[in-house]
Amino acid sequence: AAQHRPRRGEQDGDCAIVRQSSRRALCDDHCHATQRVRGLLCDKCNTALGLLAEDVGRILAAVAYLARARGSATARAAAQARGQAALR
């Protein structure tokens, strides 16, 4: 809770992912390995990260899947991002 108050001000009370306010209280998102708080998330984004096991590869694959389903150029951008993430 002590970390929560300053982050709320830094994020203007918005979710760190979607940058929107939430009707519910924001969740402390933390790294499960280090227990360090990364930021404040709305419950939907916090749940999504958990369901995707905080795995960047899975998250990027989900983005690519959605982009392909829309048939947009975003699919190419997502594939490029996935390739760049693999290099890190």
Side-chain angles (χ1 to χ4, degrees):
Q3 291 176 323
H4 194 95
R5 283 186 290 277
R7 288 190 188 279
R8 180 172 286 283
E10 291 169 14
Q11 293 180 210
D12 295 323
D14 294 342
C15 170
I17 293 177
V18 296
R19 303 285 185 206
Q20 295 177 358
S21 61
S22 174
R23 290 183 184 169
R24 294 179 157 179
L26 295 173
C27 306
D28 284 322
D29 173 49
H30 67 281
C31 171
H32 288 240
T34 66
Q35 299 302 310
R36 276 188 72 203
V37 174
R38 295 182 284 218
L40 301 173
L41 301 179
C42 65
D43 59 334
K44 287 183 180 183
C45 288
N46 190 49
T47 299
L49 286 182
L51 291 173
L52 291 169
E54 298 182 13
D55 182 307
V56 174
R58 282 183 183 205
I59 294 166
L60 290 173
V63 169
Y65 168 79
L66 290 172
R68 280 192 312 273
R70 290 184 178 165
S72 70
T74 307
R76 286 188 299 277
Q80 283 180 327
R82 190 171 53 249
Q84 290 172 356
L87 297 176
R88 292 183 193 147

